[in-house]
Amino acid sequence: MYIIDDDPDVLDSISYLLRTSGYKVKPFNSVFSFLESNDFNTPGCVLIDLIMPEISGIEAMLLFDKRQIRFPVIMMSAYGDIEKAVLAVKQGACEYLEKPFAKDKCVQAVETARAIWNENSQETADNSMKYLQLYDGLTRREKQVFHLIAEGHSGKQIANSMSISYRTMEKHKAHVLTKLGVSSTTDIVHILYKIKDMPGYRKTGMPDASQ
């Protein structure tokens, strides 16, 4: 459980509330201290204040998305404003708490966030397995193209590296996109990110360094 609030008293209070409710808590006094920690290995959710001096909670959610931090977000604010609550939810927050809030409301919001995290994690695992199976269905040459694209090489560079014509490279690339069910080279980068740490993944088909 990650808590972000610039008010030290509020931060301590909410941290104590959640710790005494059985949750592991990591408090931060700013969005940037949270991001600079790079401590995102522990699955959890983010309880964040809407109004802070450096950056708002809603702006922080945009930064989380750019950094691919996919934790469920609970937005909280001491200023009751239904428009802000609606905007937070539209931006992706799973819950909105108005300070001061009762312990049971906070715990309920956290449990909702945890349920969403578990569901999203299962969906991510299922999607990763699907893409790994599709990747395994590529030929050796297609896997070469797949990896070279993911590494940012241009079409001409790929053709030269594989000692094939540009037209042949384009055919391999088209087959890769079709077999993976995607439409752009950016999708290939995302797929590699999803499967590269899976137990069944094998980086096969790459050309020798001498080529």
Side-chain angles (χ1 to χ4, degrees):
M1 183 74 203
Y2 304 90
I3 306 173
I4 307 173
D5 198 304
D6 62 294
D7 187 324
D9 293 332
V10 173
L11 193 62
D12 289 343
S13 176
I14 297 175
S15 297
Y16 176 79
L17 183 156
L18 290 172
R19 284 195 180 103
T20 56
S21 299
Y23 299 101
K24 293 182 178 180
V25 175
K26 295 184 178 181
F28 298 90
N29 61 9
S30 74
V31 172
F32 296 114
S33 63
F34 168 69
L35 294 174
E36 289 169 2
S37 73
N38 283 319
D39 185 15
F40 311 130
N41 294 325
T42 304
C45 57
V46 178
L47 181 61
I48 184 172
D49 193 28
L50 175 62
I51 307 297
M52 290 182 286
E54 294 179 328
I55 184 172
S56 74
I58 292 176
E59 291 170 331
M61 292 177 66
L62 297 175
L63 287 179
F64 297 164
D65 189 58
K66 288 182 179 179
R67 291 280 297 272
Q68 297 188 341
I69 302 170
R70 308 301 187 190
F71 297 146
V73 172
I74 301 170
M75 195 70 67
M76 57 182 178
S77 175
Y79 307 96
D81 189 329
I82 189 62
E83 291 184 3
K84 288 187 176 68
V86 170
L87 181 58
V89 172
K90 282 185 176 180
Q91 192 63 43
C94 62
E95 289 285 343
Y96 183 90
L97 293 173
E98 184 177 340
K99 300 176 186 175
F101 43 77
K103 179 176 181 177
D104 61 336
K105 283 191 175 182
C106 184
V107 170
Q108 183 179 0
V110 171
E111 286 302 309
T112 297
R114 289 182 64 183
I116 291 173
W117 168 260
N118 291 334
E119 182 178 344
N120 290 345
S121 296
Q122 184 58 50
E123 289 179 359
T124 299
D126 291 343
N127 286 337
S128 297
M129 180 56 68
K130 179 191 75 172
Y131 282 125
L132 180 60
Q133 292 171 347
L134 293 175
Y135 167 81
D136 285 339
L138 301 178
T139 66
R140 183 180 67 86
R141 295 297 251 177
E142 289 165 356
K143 286 179 180 177
Q144 290 179 9
V145 172
F146 172 91
H147 286 288
L148 290 169
I149 289 174
E151 291 170 5
H153 296 285
S154 68
K156 185 176 181 180
Q157 289 172 329
I158 294 172
N160 290 339
S161 175
M162 296 176 62
S163 299
I164 58 177
S165 69
Y166 184 84
R167 184 175 180 180
T168 299
M169 183 281 304
E170 282 286 284
K171 288 182 179 179
H172 286 314
K173 176 182 174 181
H175 290 158
V176 169
L177 294 173
T178 299
K179 288 184 178 182
L180 295 177
V182 296
S183 58
S184 72
T185 55
T186 303
D187 293 325
I188 289 177
V189 177
H190 290 318
I191 289 174
L192 179 59
Y193 179 82
K194 288 176 182 293
I195 69 174
K196 65 184 180 67
D197 295 322
M198 296 185 69
Y201 168 73
R202 296 290 182 274
K203 187 177 180 180
T204 57
M206 289 301 293
D208 294 335
S210 59
Q211 288 187 326

